[in-house]
Amino acid sequence: MFNLFTQKSQTASFPPVHLFNSESRIDEEFSPLSEKEVRIYSCGPTVYDYAHIGNLRAYVFADTLKRALIYNGYTVNHTINYTDFGHLTSDADSGEDKMMKGLKREGMDVSLESMRLLSDRFIAAFEADIEALNILPPTQFARASEYVKEQINLIQTLDEKGYLYQTSDGVYFDISKFPTYGRLGNIDIDALKDGARVETNTEKRHPADFAVWKNGELGWDSRWGKGFPGWHIECSAMAFSTLGKQIDIHTGGVDNMPTHHNGEIAQCESATGKEFSKYWMHSEHIQIANEKIAKSEGNGLILKDLIDKGYSGDDYRYWLLQSHYRTKANFSYEALDASKQALTRLKRMMFIDWKDERGKLSTEKQLELVEIINNDLDTPKLIAWMHDMIKDESLSTGERKELVLECDALLGLGLSDDPEEGLKALGHVAFENLPQNVQELITQREAARVAQNWQEADRLRDALRLAGYEITDAPEGTQVTSLEK
Ligand code: AMP
Ligand code: ZN
């Protein structure tokens, strides 16, 4: 279940939000294009396979951005797209369409219907992942195959304005007509030309020219023949259709920046003559043992792999947020174990020890936490600050609990879940719901502990483990966790 998420009451005037803009390469004070809403577009998954745990960082990052803006009082209109055709195995215009690759892998025939079936399956898996990760659903998911007409119209506009040329395999955008091409990431276009390997497509005028339309046996009819729109044009058309011609923030992973996002900028700004996105934000990659995550490398872990091993989406999210979104992070099970342990301790504190605590939100402390998140989404610092607050004896327990709830509105770790549901998810079982024999073993162990017969107490703990239950002695009494979880 998605957590209900409401804007927090703003008790004081907050400091401005600062975000690192990949275009200017500096931290900038955020100011929205319109008072009404902040429009965010996030490049979404190519749904030919499961998203790996690295891919998921891009969406946890966009979610953190969104939570921070909502916390600061903004209304957010957010689109995540599904690329269900047109993304070739190379981000440039060579290689195989990833969906075709998926169809072959599954032994499915090559047709638009099969493509739909294949993407339905991976869209459902992705939506289960984002729910498990507590990612707030976007205002809209946009599926590329449902915006083909809009993509064709946009290509037509660019054609009429003279930005395109046709080759034997499709229609290309001529980057020489867009003088600021490559400004995102400051790409040296001339060096690209000099350093280009033998260009496979000799009809291209410049190696960085990119396809807006590819001819193909599979696809849709257009004035350029049968085929499909290019990957970059998908995002441009879906951003225009769902959010408008100018947006506030565009997000993606760092690998999207050089080709995909420079392509989007060139198309959008050539079509409208206006700046497309005011801010560009990119999350760094997750690695495993310092290696790139890729199915082909045999390390393509997916969230379900972690869940099957007994970790929760919250555990993985906690691990992710301990690194800043702009730094590379190296995944390991040891690190995930530490995250799980820390988060479980926090949850037990919130759901058991502090269940009935109530307190006032300290304005002064709230300003401290806002300052942290408004500094380019500094989640590692916010987590550390939350731990400091928990230990801060100058505050009442109720006040500390309130601050944890505020942090959770920004971090989305499940700390504000209903205590009963939260405990159930941790595997806790109430005494009266335990099988009779297990209840008896626990009662005997309690008696052994009272008699200080530690050997017998340990023997009974082992017997309980064999029966599938772990016992923890907490100040409020013995806690029982099912090991089945
Ligand atoms: P794709 O489904 O290949 O289009 O990728 C989905 C998102 O995941 C994109 O925003 C990529 O930039 C991002 N991404 C790809 N690999 C990683 C990784 N190892 N770590 C973090 N993000 C990644
Ligand atoms: Zn995109």
Side-chain angles (χ1 to χ4, degrees):
M1 266 245 305
F2 284 115
N3 281 330
L4 280 181
F5 183 81
T6 49
Q7 192 179 317
K8 290 281 148 173
S9 54
Q10 195 168 331
T11 52
S13 119
F14 287 172
V17 179
H18 279 89
L19 301 172
F20 183 86
N21 186 352
S22 313
E23 188 170 350
S24 60
R25 276 166 287 156
I26 52 167
D27 272 316
E28 288 183 28
E29 184 173 319
F30 175 73
S31 111
L33 290 170
S34 118
E35 291 297 313
K36 200 175 131 253
E37 62 182 18
V38 177
R39 285 164 284 175
I40 307 178
Y41 186 90
S42 299
C43 281
T46 308
V47 284
Y48 73 117
D49 205 339
Y50 296 104
H52 60 58
I53 58 168
N55 297 139
L56 294 172
R57 184 191 218 184
Y59 312 106
V60 169
F61 147 63
D63 185 57
T64 312
L65 167 67
K66 190 159 121 187
R67 285 171 182 265
L69 291 170
I70 295 173
Y71 197 94
N72 277 273
Y74 295 107
T75 302
V76 174
N77 186 356
H78 184 208
T79 299
I80 298 181
N81 76 283
Y82 289 129
T83 295
D84 58 355
F85 71 86
H87 187 177
L88 306 187
T89 43
S90 143
D91 277 4
D93 302 305
S94 57
E96 193 181 13
D97 184 313
K98 289 189 178 182
M99 291 305 290
M100 291 285 234
K101 199 172 154 180
L103 289 176
K104 283 190 201 155
R105 186 192 61 226
E106 302 296 326
M108 295 166 86
D109 67 322
V110 175
S111 67
L112 288 179
E113 292 71 34
S114 311
M115 213 131 113
R116 179 102 194 161
L117 284 177
L118 183 73
S119 45
D120 277 347
R121 182 173 141 207
F122 293 112
I123 285 174
F126 179 74
E127 291 184 6
D129 285 350
I130 68 164
E131 183 169 344
L133 287 167
N134 255 329
I135 291 175
L136 305 170
T139 319
Q140 53 270 322
F141 284 110
R143 192 167 174 164
S145 63
E146 290 172 359
Y147 289 85
V148 173
K149 193 167 84 323
E150 289 80 355
Q151 292 168 62
I152 290 179
N153 288 343
L154 182 55
I155 302 169
Q156 216 154 296
T157 304
L158 292 170
D159 205 6
E160 282 155 15
K161 292 192 171 201
Y163 287 98
L164 310 179
Y165 63 92
Q166 198 154 1
T167 68
S168 54
D169 79 338
V171 182
Y172 284 78
F173 186 95
D174 182 349
I175 62 153
S176 71
K177 304 256 166 71
F178 187 74
T180 63
Y181 181 86
R183 66 178 199 248
L184 200 58
N186 212 11
I187 293 171
D188 184 346
I189 300 302
D190 295 333
L192 237 177
K193 192 161 192 173
D194 296 340
R197 281 170 286 140
V198 183
E199 183 55 57
T200 43
N201 184 346
T202 49
E203 293 174 77
K204 265 165 73 164
R205 295 179 188 164
H206 187 287
D209 287 352
F210 55 88
V212 292
W213 183 267
K214 274 277 203 179
N215 303 335
E217 48 165 326
L218 188 65
W220 294 266
D221 290 320
S222 78
R223 61 152 84 165
W224 309 283
K226 190 167 179 185
F228 52 89
W231 176 38
H232 320 320
I233 208 91
E234 285 179 9
C235 282
S236 296
M238 288 185 280
F240 280 2
S241 300
T242 58
L243 302 172
K245 298 278 159 67
Q246 289 189 288
I247 65 170
D248 290 282
I249 309 175
H250 198 305
T251 76
V254 277
D255 55 307
N256 290 152
M257 189 157 53
T259 310
H260 186 48
H261 289 166
N262 275 310
E264 279 192 53
I265 292 176
Q267 298 160 159
C268 293
E269 299 190 357
S270 300
T272 64
K274 294 180 191 153
E275 182 182 47
F276 170 41
S277 181
K278 195 167 176 191
Y279 304 88
W280 286 85
M281 294 180 74
H282 295 94
S283 48
E284 251 299 349
H285 276 187
I286 299 299
Q287 299 178 315
I288 298 180
N290 294 314
E291 299 282 342
K292 183 174 179 241
I293 304 182
K295 274 263 150 70
S296 53
E297 309 283 322
N299 67 357
L301 276 181
I302 62 171
L303 188 64
K304 191 173 170 298
D305 294 330
L306 305 187
I307 290 173
D308 289 348
K309 283 186 189 292
Y311 302 97
S312 68
D314 292 346
D315 297 335
Y316 183 57
R317 185 171 171 122
Y318 187 95
W319 176 77
L320 276 175
L321 295 181
Q322 279 179 307
S323 307
H324 188 260
Y325 75 90
R326 284 198 295 115
T327 59
K328 283 199 178 75
N330 220 359
F331 176 84
S332 71
Y333 279 111
E334 292 73 37
L336 186 61
D337 279 337
S339 296
K340 183 181 179 63
Q341 216 174 50
L343 186 58
T344 304
R345 225 178 291 130
L346 287 170
K347 286 186 172 177
R348 284 193 176 142
M349 179 192 76
M350 291 296 278
F351 303 154
I352 303 168
D353 313 354
W354 291 1
K355 180 167 174 270
D356 300 316
E357 295 290 344
R358 298 286 177 270
K360 235 176 102 259
L361 178 63
S362 148
T363 313
E364 187 196 331
K365 293 290 179 194
Q366 188 187 28
L367 280 177
E368 276 181 37
L369 75 87
V370 173
E371 210 149 298
I372 296 171
I373 204 71
N374 285 7
N375 179 18
D376 195 28
L377 317 176
D378 196 346
T379 56
K381 191 163 175 194
L382 186 60
I383 292 176
W385 182 87
M386 175 171 73
H387 283 284
D388 287 346
M389 288 307 106
I390 289 167
K391 286 181 261 160
D392 189 337
E393 293 189 351
S394 71
L395 301 166
S396 72
T397 318
E399 284 173 313
R400 292 185 239 173
K401 180 179 173 184
E402 279 307 306
L403 289 171
V404 174
L405 292 174
E406 295 303 294
C407 289
D408 197 55
L410 292 159
L411 298 168
L413 297 170
L415 294 168
S416 27
D417 285 355
D418 170 68
E420 212 165 297
E421 291 296 317
L423 282 174
K424 231 189 269 166
L426 284 179
H428 277 249
V429 189
F431 186 81
E432 59 274 19
N433 295 332
L434 290 163
Q436 186 71 33
N437 64 325
V438 174
Q439 288 189 7
E440 278 162 18
L441 285 171
I442 291 173
T443 311
Q444 286 170 23
R445 183 171 169 274
E446 276 309 302
R449 269 162 48 87
V450 170
Q452 302 199 343
N453 185 349
W454 308 121
Q455 214 176 346
E456 177 65 357
D458 284 348
R459 189 191 66 76
L460 288 159
R461 178 198 286 275
D462 290 343
L464 280 159
R465 280 193 184 133
L466 275 179
Y469 295 90
E470 182 65 46
I471 300 296
T472 320
D473 298 311
E476 65 286 349
T478 300
Q479 302 297 320
V480 188
T481 309
S482 164
L483 294 173
E484 301 270 286
K485 266 295 294 166

